Amino acid sequence: MAEPGNPMVTWAERMELLKDSTQQRVLNAPMPPAAMEQLIVDERAHALGLFKGSPVNYMGRWWRLGEEGWVVLDEAASAQLDLHAARYWAASAAAGAPSAADAALVEVLPPQLKEGAA
């Protein structure tokens, strides 16, 4: 069904545009540390490691902790970190049984990285 007054745009298309706009606002603003911590607790965001300052994957992108809060890495840096994370998990798996901490992290990795861990 088209939006009233604009027969070229459907409600579904408009909602998708609004979603994209909201996502861009989220990606362009620093996130308070407490908010990211809650996303990790809720398993909506996933830390790369169990160390202070570990990058976090949220909304399909990697974030780093900076002075102003959590900031998103650009797409190229996120893609590069995806590659390094997948290599890390593959190397850990090839080296033998992972430590308990590594095994626990595999369970909370984003789906695209779990494939590289196996």
Side-chain angles (χ1 to χ4, degrees), residues 61-62 73-84:
R61 299 274 290 277
W62 287 98
L73 300 180
D74 64 30
E75 289 183 29
S78 280
Q80 192 69 24
L81 192 50
D82 279 341
L83 176 65
H84 290 301

Side-chain angles (χ1 to χ4, degrees), residues 83-107:
L83 176 65
H84 290 301
R87 286 180 177 170
Y88 169 76
W89 290 109
S92 294
S99 70
D102 284 346
L105 281 174
V106 169
E107 295 307 313

Side-chain angles (χ1 to χ4, degrees), residues 1 4 6-7 19 28 33-35 42 53 55 57 59 62 64-65 74 78 87 90-91 100 108-110 113-114 117:
M1 175 176 205
N6 188 350
K19 183 187 114 204
N28 289 325
D42 294 343
N57 191 286
M59 294 178 64
W62 287 98
R64 66 165 179 80
L65 185 57
D74 64 30
S78 280
R87 286 180 177 170
V108 298
L109 280 175
L113 297 183
K114 280 186 181 181

Side-chain angles (χ1 to χ4, degrees), residues 34-46:
M36 184 63 83
E37 289 170 19
Q38 187 60 51
L39 288 167
I40 293 169
V41 167
D42 294 343
E43 297 184 358
R44 295 177 60 202
H46 308 285

